[in-house]
């Protein structure tokens, strides 16, 4: 019997673990303090775990000064110490492992982090780095709840809404290797933030939001910007929330701001006669993170000192420093990342060079507001306002829910509010839900609350598929020279099929080709909303069905078949994250095969 609902926010910059007692009739959400190394021979318990790993030198391994209770001195140090030393030892620090998990142009299971480090540094893969971070959370839970191991609890782990199938599967792989239970749930981070707001607000949320209103969740974290749109609808006389759309995976966030500040600071170092080498530049990037957080915070300092080590010098003696002030940093980051723009603006696309470094694919346009404009225009439609005008019955209100550490800065929150107000039909400001006090822990707390509601009930965000989906099946019949056999499309996912649901596809058996590489074809339709699961289409208009990217696969079989195929029946499943799984179940034995792709994207397919 599971006793606790556990929510884990695997963040780019910080990780948080929250929990709720499933035996309680009320969702009391608590945070788990995380023991971590903060300095040589020093361990502290903090409310979050910094998502940084430090790879100790041989001398540090021998001294064992960075080892936690009974740990291995050769293992990476995870947490706050790794964050603090990142500015001094960037070549031994792994940061933003989560962003690397979704970088399709590298082998994410290969040891490549820290990126660009010398060969004498024992590197980690993005999957291994994520595993070690999650393992640290796992170990802390086991120490705090020895009678209730994590692998026996209801665990919800959050991922960006825009993570593709592969990134989600790699996250799942890392989590299972770290010790999480096999039945843990993946939940989108923006949805988790909404669940936290629902937990805080209770039934009063239905008085704050009216039917037809739109809720924009804007999550700008350390490495990514995640956008989600929800709409309030009536269902059986009850107000509920339905997810309308999720944005693309945008690699623009707090890390970009740190880098922008580093470039700004580098010009001041050049004025002092110091031209930075590559590792000093990375060191400066990490140093600017701390300065940014201090200068943008409410009641933060007016000036900050930023230091780097002179080349070939020892600590302290070779340190060179400059100062930056609050006003110039705010102007740099507010105008650079949240500029004023029109609702019909789109992100700028810079010319692409013929040669590029294979680093993280950060967005060319750092203007978060332009990315939001493109997303809202493409998915919200119509006008929005406050709902207080005479046309309130036809002009929906826009509500804004912020998430991510970037929005701790009052200047950035104010600028986004100003931009959204300029897009409204009456110039009114959006209704902001939640507050800045929620930004650090909302995702983990919301994930824990989501797990609690699975047992106790509560408002659930709906997000049925926005299209019907079909598989292409080659028709039997006489062959005609030069012409392929006719293709029929069988509906395997009806329009509006809910996440977390599954169904058997009725109809006759289908032959699944195994043992050789063949092409599997899928189709989608936003127009055919009434097709039932199992319906077979032999003819359709060109604008009715759109073919997604086909899959070239060689499906293995337990033994060869004389026919070259196995008779199967289809079983469709939409996971909690909107991944369509088509199971092909043999009618002869226990063999089964899974094909899957993300139904929130217009195209794209991936094998299971």
């Amino acid at each position: 019997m599971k006793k606790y609902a556990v929510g884990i926010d695997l963040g780019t910059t910080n990780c948080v673990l929250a929990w709720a007692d499933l035996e309680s009739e009320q969702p009391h959400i608590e945070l788990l303090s995380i023991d971590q190394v903060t300095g040589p021979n020093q361990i502290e318990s903090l409310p979050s775990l910094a998502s940084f790993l430090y790879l100790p030198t041989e001398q540090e391994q021998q001294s064992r000064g960075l080892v936690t209770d009974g740990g291995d001195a050769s293992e990476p140090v995870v947490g706050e110490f790794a964050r603090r030393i990142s500015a001094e030892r960037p070549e031994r620090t792994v940061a933003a492992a989560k962003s690397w998990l979704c970088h399709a142009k590298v082998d994410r299971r290969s040891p490549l982090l820290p990126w660009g480090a010398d060969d004498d540094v024992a590197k980690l893969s993005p999957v291994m780095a994520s595993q070690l971070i999650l393992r640290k959370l796992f170990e802390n839970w086991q120490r705090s709840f020895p009678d209730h191991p994590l692998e026996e609890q209801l665990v919800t782990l959050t991922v960006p809404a825009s993570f593709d199938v592969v990134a989600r599967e790699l996250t799942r792989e890392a989590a299972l290797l770290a010790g999480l239970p096999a039945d843990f749930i993946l939940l989108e981070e923006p949805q988790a933030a909404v669940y936290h707001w629902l937990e805080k607000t209770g039934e009063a949320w239905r008085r704050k939001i009216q039917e037809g209103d739109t809720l924009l969740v804007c999550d700008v974290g350390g490495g990514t910007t995640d956008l989600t749109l929800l709409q309030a609808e009536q269902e059986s006389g009850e107000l509920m929330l339905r997810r309308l759309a999720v944005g693309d995976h945008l690699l623009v966030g707090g890390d970009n701001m740190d880098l922008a500040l580093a470039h700004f600071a580098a010009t001041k170092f050049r004025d002092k006669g110091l031209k930075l080498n590559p590792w000093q530049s990375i060191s400066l990037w990490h140093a600017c993170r701390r300065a940014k957080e201090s200068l943008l915070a409410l009641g933060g300092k007016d000036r900050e000192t930023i230091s780097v080590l002179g080349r070939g010098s020892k600590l302290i003696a070779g340190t060179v420093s400059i100062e930056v002030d609050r006003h110039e940093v705010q102007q740099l980051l507010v105008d650079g990342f949240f500029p004023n723009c029109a609702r019909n603006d789109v992100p700028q696309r810079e010319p692409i060079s013929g040669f590029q470094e294979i680093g993280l694919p950060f967005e060319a346009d750092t203007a978060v507001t332009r990315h939001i404009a493109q997303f809202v225009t493409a998915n919200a439609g119509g006008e929005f306002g406050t709902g207080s005008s005479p046309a309130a019955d036809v002009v929906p209100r826009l509500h804004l829910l912020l998430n991510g550490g970037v929005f701790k800065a009052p200047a950035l929150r104010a600028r986004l509010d100003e931009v959204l107000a300029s897009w409204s039909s009456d110039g009114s400001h959006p209704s902001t839900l939640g507050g800045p006090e929620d930004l650090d822990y909302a995702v983990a707390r919301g994930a824990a609350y989501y797990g609690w509601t699975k047992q106790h009930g509560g408002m659930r965000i709906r997000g049925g598929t926005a299209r019907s989906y079909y598989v292409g099946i080659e028709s039997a019949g006489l062959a005609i020279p030069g012409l392929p056999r006719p293709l029929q499309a069988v509906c395997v996912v009806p329009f509006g099929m809910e996440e977390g649901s599954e169904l058997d596809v009725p109809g006759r058996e289908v032959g699944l080709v195994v043992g050789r590489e063949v092409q599997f074809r899928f189709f989608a339709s936003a127009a055919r909303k009434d097709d039932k699961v199992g319906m077979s289409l032999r003819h359709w208009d060109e604008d009715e069905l759109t073919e997604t990217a086909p899959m070239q696969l060689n499906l293995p079989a337990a033994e060869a078949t004389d026919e070259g195929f196995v008779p199967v029946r289809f079983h469709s499943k939409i996971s909690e994250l909107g991944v369509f799984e088509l199971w092909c179940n043999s009618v002869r034995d226990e063999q089964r095969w899974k094909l899957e792709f993300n139904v929130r994207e217009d195209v794209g397919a991936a094998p299971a």
Side-chain angles (χ1 to χ4, degrees):
M1 182 70 179
K2 300 180 188 297
K3 178 172 174 54
Y4 295 108
V6 178
I8 298 176
D9 174 13
L10 177 63
T12 307
T13 307
N14 291 289
C15 298
V16 181
L17 189 153
W19 55 273
D21 192 337
L22 287 170
E23 297 176 358
S24 172
E25 292 302 314
Q26 296 298 323
H28 300 296
I29 313 295
E30 302 286 345
L31 296 179
L32 181 72
S33 293
I34 311 298
D35 293 339
Q36 56 200 282
V37 175
T38 56
N41 299 303
Q42 183 176 350
I43 297 174
E44 294 182 45
S45 186
L46 303 174
S48 62
L49 175 70
S51 305
F52 291 73
L53 301 96
Y54 175 69
L55 310 178
T57 64
E58 290 187 12
Q59 181 179 357
E60 289 166 334
Q61 293 174 27
Q62 293 170 3
S63 69
R64 300 182 64 82
L66 301 177
V67 180
T68 55
D69 301 336
D72 186 342
S74 65
E75 289 187 352
V77 180
V78 183
E80 184 59 26
F81 174 79
R83 183 215 299 267
R84 292 176 182 176
I85 204 172
S86 61
E88 300 172 20
R89 304 299 302 274
E91 76 282 3
R92 287 190 167 271
T93 306
V94 176
K98 177 179 171 182
S99 294
W100 284 93
L101 278 180
C102 64
H103 189 6
K105 294 183 180 179
V106 299
D107 182 354
R108 287 157 279 186
R109 293 189 179 90
S110 293
L112 48 86
L113 301 178
W115 183 258
D118 294 337
D119 292 338
D120 62 343
V121 177
K123 300 182 182 67
L124 302 173
S125 71
V127 172
M128 175 61 74
S130 301
Q131 173 193 340
L132 291 172
I133 293 170
L134 287 169
R135 185 70 185 181
K136 190 72 173 178
L137 298 175
F138 173 89
E139 292 169 350
N140 271 267
W141 175 274
Q142 305 296 74
R143 284 196 295 270
S144 299
F145 297 88
D147 297 330
H148 301 283
L150 190 63
E151 58 268 30
E152 297 177 6
Q153 309 312 311
L154 177 56
V155 178
T156 301
L157 176 65
T158 64
V159 294
S162 51
F163 255 25
D164 63 14
V165 172
V166 177
R168 292 170 183 176
E169 285 302 312
L170 291 172
T171 303
R172 179 178 292 278
E173 179 182 323
L176 294 177
L177 291 171
L180 269 64
D183 61 349
F184 82 90
I185 301 167
L186 285 172
L187 178 68
E188 295 174 0
E189 291 165 4
Q191 286 198 41
V194 175
Y195 279 115
H196 170 61
W197 177 72
L198 291 171
E199 178 251 328
K200 283 185 57 179
T201 311
E203 287 301 307
W205 79 268
R206 290 185 169 89
R207 295 192 295 273
K208 296 178 180 292
I209 295 180
Q210 302 172 5
E211 182 179 4
D213 286 358
T214 299
L215 170 55
L216 170 63
V217 185
C218 186
D219 184 350
V220 184
T224 61
T225 290
D226 227 356
L227 304 173
T228 294
L229 272 177
L230 301 98
Q231 189 169 54
E233 299 178 354
Q234 288 282 350
E235 184 176 278
S236 303
E238 288 287 329
L239 193 64
M240 48 82 69
L241 293 175
R242 180 176 297 279
R243 190 199 58 251
L244 295 178
V246 297
D248 295 331
H249 190 69
L250 303 173
L251 278 181
V252 57
D255 290 344
N256 301 71
M257 295 183 179
D258 302 335
L259 187 58
L261 182 53
H263 278 283
F264 175 74
T267 61
K268 294 200 171 191
F269 279 110
R270 282 198 295 270
D271 293 341
K272 285 196 169 190
L274 177 62
K275 185 177 181 180
L276 305 179
N277 65 29
W279 282 117
Q280 285 175 315
S281 296
I282 297 176
S283 174
L284 179 61
W285 183 5
H286 290 299
C288 285
R289 178 183 299 111
R290 296 193 294 266
K292 176 200 69 178
E293 293 170 354
S294 171
L295 293 168
L296 292 183
L298 182 65
K301 295 181 179 179
D302 290 330
R303 300 184 68 83
E304 270 287 351
T305 300
I306 299 176
S307 304
V308 296
L309 296 178
R311 284 177 285 184
S313 58
K314 299 291 186 179
L315 184 63
I316 304 301
T319 297
V320 182
S321 302
I322 54 98
E323 282 194 340
V324 292
D325 69 61
R326 183 184 184 92
H327 174 74
E328 62 186 2
V329 169
Q330 285 198 358
Q331 184 176 15
L332 171 73
L333 300 183
V334 172
D335 293 338
F337 290 86
F338 288 82
N340 285 301
C341 68
R343 181 175 172 177
N344 60 356
D345 279 357
V346 296
Q348 299 172 359
R349 305 299 180 190
E350 296 180 358
I352 298 176
S353 170
F355 295 100
Q356 290 187 320
E357 182 181 13
I358 309 177
L360 285 174
F362 293 110
E363 292 297 317
D365 191 341
T366 60
V368 174
T369 43
R370 281 196 286 268
H371 289 287
I372 296 174
Q374 184 180 48
F375 174 69
V376 169
T377 299
N379 296 287
E383 298 286 340
F384 56 77
T386 62
S388 59
S389 66
D393 56 332
V394 296
V395 179
R397 296 183 301 174
L398 176 68
H399 304 271
L400 178 64
L401 181 62
L402 300 177
N403 193 55
V406 162
F407 288 117
K408 288 182 181 180
L412 297 180
R413 296 198 304 270
R415 173 57 66 83
L416 180 57
D417 177 78
E418 175 187 336
V419 171
L420 291 176
S422 72
W423 299 348
S424 70
S425 58
D426 53 8
S428 57
H429 293 264
S431 164
T432 301
L433 309 176
E437 70 277 1
D438 299 325
L439 297 173
D440 284 327
Y441 313 116
V443 168
R445 291 177 62 93
Y449 176 65
Y450 172 83
W452 184 89
T453 62
K454 288 183 73 69
Q455 181 164 311
H456 291 269
M459 216 293 294
R460 301 290 295 278
I461 299 170
R462 302 294 179 84
T465 59
R467 295 171 176 81
S468 304
Y469 289 87
Y470 308 78
V471 293
I473 299 174
E474 184 178 298
S475 300
L478 298 174
I480 301 174
L483 291 177
R485 284 193 173 94
L487 198 70
Q488 54 183 300
V490 174
C491 181
V492 289
V493 173
F495 181 87
M497 182 173 173
E498 292 287 345
E499 274 91 342
S501 64
E502 53 188 292
L503 49 82
D504 290 318
V505 178
R508 64 184 185 279
E509 299 170 4
V510 174
L512 176 68
V513 179
V514 295
R516 60 189 177 92
E517 186 169 285
V518 290
Q519 186 180 78
F520 295 89
R521 298 175 66 181
F522 292 88
F523 299 84
S525 176
R528 302 185 63 97
K529 298 183 178 181
D530 298 324
D531 286 354
K532 304 299 182 184
V533 63
M535 178 183 292
S536 180
L537 307 179
R538 294 184 179 272
H539 304 284
W540 57 85
D541 294 335
E542 289 185 1
D543 58 350
E544 283 188 306
L545 297 189
T546 302
E547 185 168 7
T548 68
M551 304 167 66
Q552 293 285 147
L553 295 176
N554 185 339
L555 298 180
E559 58 185 38
T561 63
D562 294 335
E563 304 96 326
F565 63 82
V566 176
V568 299
R569 290 190 179 277
F570 294 138
H571 180 83
S572 294
K573 177 181 178 180
I574 303 293
S575 75
E576 300 275 358
L577 288 182
V579 175
F580 163 36
E581 299 176 359
L582 180 65
W583 288 90
C584 305
N585 299 326
S586 172
V587 300
R588 294 176 176 173
D589 49 38
E590 298 300 315
Q591 292 187 90
R592 58 202 306 246
W593 296 263
K594 181 176 72 168
L595 309 177
E596 69 179 14
F597 66 99
N598 188 346
V599 300
R600 295 196 185 135
E601 298 179 3
D602 291 334
V603 297

